[in-house]
Amino acid sequence: MKQYSSLNEVRKDILDGRIVLRELVQGYLDNIAARPDLNIFLEVFGEEALAAAESVQQKMLAGKGGRLAGMVIALKDNICYKGHKVSASSRILEGFQSLYSATVTERLLAEDAIIIGRTNCDEFAMGSSNENSAYGPVGHPINPDLVPGGSSGGSAAAVAGNMCLASLGSDTGGSIRQPASLCGIIGIKPTYGRISRHGLIAYASSFDQIGPFTHSMEDVAAILEVISGPDNFDSTVSQRPVPDYSAALGVRKKYRIGYIRECIENPGLNPEVKQRTIEILDALRNEGHTVEAVDFPLLDYLVPAYYVLTTAEASSNLARFDGIHYGYRDPESMGIDNTYTRSRTHGFGAEVKRRIMLGTFVLSAGYYDAYYGHTQKVRKLIRENTRKLLTDFDFLATPTTTNVAFGKGQKANDPIAMYLEDIFTVQAPLAGIPGISLPLGKNSEGLPFGFQLMSDVFTEEKLLAFSAELMEKFVSK
Ligand code: GLN
């Protein structure tokens, strides 16, 4: 099957009669079925997607298709879809069905997107390799022995492996941008408060944001226009109107770009990633953009601050999974305390338990001020310093990840090495700003890596326009 890289291409082929939507859906289903070894989908909604294809096709031909008509999309397994299972890749939610749809799901469906299935991820979105899923790891579409990144590894691999046109993931500390980087596609974490979190299974509520994976900036714009904006079910969503991102994509301006010196000079940065990043920055300078190094001495505090705050929030959010209200209950439970203990002990995986314990500790009496309270202040400093830089610069640039995809098992027993995967991606969610990973690099073995741009809160129009320029210039078709 032809690999489509944008919704406009799909639409053109449908309207010109070169393909019918049902065939396209069938093609994606065949691609999914051909690679069970990659373990990308936890469930495929085949019959439903084929039936939806028939009705959307008719609407399209009658000129009545919604804004996402023709888009085949997958949902990360932490986004609710009424009447469908959702597990956050955890045993503790085994068998649980969503009682309502997430706001993003409703908005996608209202604009005629076709949901093809739910994708594997790290349990409760905690991880950077998709090895923390209760349903087994995901393989990288280029080489199944490598990880696709995480935690939205299945969503990224599904798009990279041509099993759907786009997908949604969630990003708390990098879970969209890091797998986008390792899989060679686009992934964006929008501004905190741009998109409703209603119906997203919470990990760390003051960080979590939903965002898309795509091959093209056109599709990023189209999806964001549909899923962003105020929602009565989530009071943290901004009331700001949603801009016409698609129209903004064509804007070309000369920008001020600050690249973070501590990232480029980081000893852990792979030399090929470093070289390509510098090459891109030089080319931008030659084209008349202002490109300067900036210092961000707080870099070393980002990962520790992220892990104190997110584990604290997780320990509170995950308290609801008690063996009574949702999903799994340990069959040998007796009495209330024992039900909680046994269900949580057997229902959660090791990484989730590690984070619940760490989070409970940093919030506990006697330690609260020293850890949680103190780190809130550190977060404020990070946010203020980052936003100050963004008054001098339109964008902050870094590599998305220090390296390309690593081997399955390579970091699984070393939580610190795994946590350092997030070194360049946690700044954006700590500061609440948007960040995007663009597939602008490949190493000598053909493995992809991303280039990250961050901009100030609610400046997605500018971020998308400049990203479109970079995609045009630095991605060979
Ligand atoms: N890899 C990071 C973590 O393990 C980020 C996860 C995320 O963004 N959901 O927490």
Side-chain angles (χ1 to χ4, degrees), residues 424-452:
F424 301 150
T425 52
V426 290
Q427 184 174 3
L430 277 162
I433 59 174
I436 190 165
S437 178
L438 302 170
L440 305 188
K442 274 196 181 147
N443 76 357
S444 42
E445 288 165 18
L447 289 175
F449 53 85
F451 181 85
Q452 177 178 237

Side-chain angles (χ1 to χ4, degrees), residues 76 78 122 124-129 132 150-152 170-179 203-204 207-209 306-307 310 351 355 418-419 421-422 425-426 429:
K76 182 176 181 179
N78 60 357
D122 282 302
F124 286 103
M126 297 175 184
S128 303
S129 66
N132 295 336
S151 66
S152 316
S170 65
D171 189 310
T172 306
S175 278
I176 293 175
R177 292 160 291 146
Q178 186 256 11
Y203 160 19
F207 291 72
D208 300 341
Q209 273 295 284
Y306 168 81
Y307 276 95
T310 55
E351 181 62 24
R355 294 196 194 194
M418 195 68 97
Y419 293 177
E421 270 297 299
D422 308 321
T425 52
V426 290

Side-chain angles (χ1 to χ4, degrees), residues 87-398:
S87 76
S89 290
S90 180
R91 192 171 176 211
I92 207 153
L93 275 168
E94 210 164 63
F96 179 76
Q97 279 206 357
S98 296
L99 301 173
Y100 57 85
S101 283
T103 298
V104 293
T105 309
E106 279 187 354
R107 291 185 182 175
L108 289 176
L109 292 170
E111 294 295 341
D112 290 332
I114 296 174
I115 300 175
I116 195 162
R118 59 185 172 100
T119 51
N120 202 344
C121 57
D122 282 302
E123 186 177 0
F124 286 103
M126 297 175 184
S128 303
S129 66
N130 217 125
E131 291 167 293
N132 295 336
S133 166
Y135 305 100
V138 170
H140 194 295
I142 294 178
N143 173 354
D145 297 330
L146 300 178
V147 304
S151 66
S152 316
S155 289
V159 173
N162 200 22
M163 298 173 182
C164 49
L165 182 62
S167 62
L168 292 188
S170 65
D171 189 310
T172 306
S175 278
I176 293 175
R177 292 160 291 146
Q178 186 256 11
S181 173
L182 304 193
C183 287
I185 56 174
I186 303 171
I188 179 169
K189 182 208 86 77
T191 305
Y192 184 78
R194 184 69 288 185
I195 296 173
S196 169
R197 291 176 294 109
H198 175 67
L200 168 71
I201 296 176
Y203 160 19
S205 309
S206 75
F207 291 72
D208 300 341
Q209 273 295 284
I210 294 172
F213 289 97
T214 68
H215 290 290
S216 70
M217 287 309 301
E218 290 156 58
D219 288 359
V220 170
I223 294 172
L224 287 188
E225 281 162 10
V226 168
I227 64 176
S228 304
D231 179 20
N232 288 340
F233 294 108
D234 178 358
S235 61
T236 63
V237 182
S238 165
Q239 294 298 314
R240 289 172 192 244
V242 179
D244 185 343
Y245 295 125
S246 303
L249 287 181
V251 175
R252 294 289 172 270
K253 282 191 190 157
K254 296 301 170 206
Y255 292 110
R256 295 158 303 159
I257 301 136
Y259 64 89
I260 300 180
R261 194 193 312 271
E262 287 80 0
C263 296
I264 301 286
E265 285 170 10
N266 197 288
L269 187 61
N270 170 285
E272 286 184 288
V273 177
K274 178 172 180 172
Q275 194 200 331
R276 176 66 176 154
T277 308
I278 292 174
E279 206 176 283
I280 293 167
L281 292 168
D282 286 345
L284 291 172
R285 192 182 291 112
N286 290 338
E287 306 238 339
H289 297 286
T290 305
V291 180
E292 285 169 17
V294 294
D295 289 308
F296 192 73
L298 295 172
L299 186 75
D300 286 345
Y301 299 95
L302 297 178
V303 171
Y306 168 81
Y307 276 95
V308 170
L309 297 175
T310 55
T311 55
E313 292 187 27
S315 74
S316 162
N317 275 326
L318 271 57
R320 73 191 69 177
F321 302 105
D322 51 11
I324 293 171
H325 293 92
Y326 304 92
Y328 174 79
R329 178 180 307 165
D330 189 81
E332 282 160 42
S333 306
M334 299 243 299
I336 187 129
D337 288 352
N338 184 260
T339 301
Y340 292 163
T341 311
R342 291 193 69 93
S343 302
R344 286 169 70 83
T345 302
H346 299 131
F348 288 132
E351 181 62 24
V352 174
K353 283 188 275 197
R354 175 162 33 237
R355 294 196 194 194
I356 292 173
M357 287 188 277
L358 189 60
T360 307
F361 174 75
V362 301
L363 287 174
S364 59
Y367 294 99
Y368 181 100
D369 286 340
Y371 291 100
Y372 183 75
H374 190 71
T375 312
Q376 286 287 25
K377 293 180 194 154
V378 176
R379 184 181 195 181
K380 187 156 180 270
L381 265 184
I382 293 167
R383 183 182 292 145
E384 284 172 359
N385 279 279
T386 303
R387 296 207 46 205
K388 186 167 172 304
L389 288 178
L390 288 168
T391 56
D392 298 331
F393 293 94
D394 294 292
F395 303 107
L396 295 176
T398 73

Side-chain angles (χ1 to χ4, degrees), residues 456-476:
D456 207 353
V457 295
F458 299 106
T459 58
E460 276 86 357
E461 274 174 287
K462 180 170 88 172
L463 182 63
L464 267 51
F466 189 48
S467 297
E469 180 180 342
L470 294 186
M471 289 294 290
E472 258 164 42
K473 282 208 178 94
F474 299 108
V475 180
S476 45

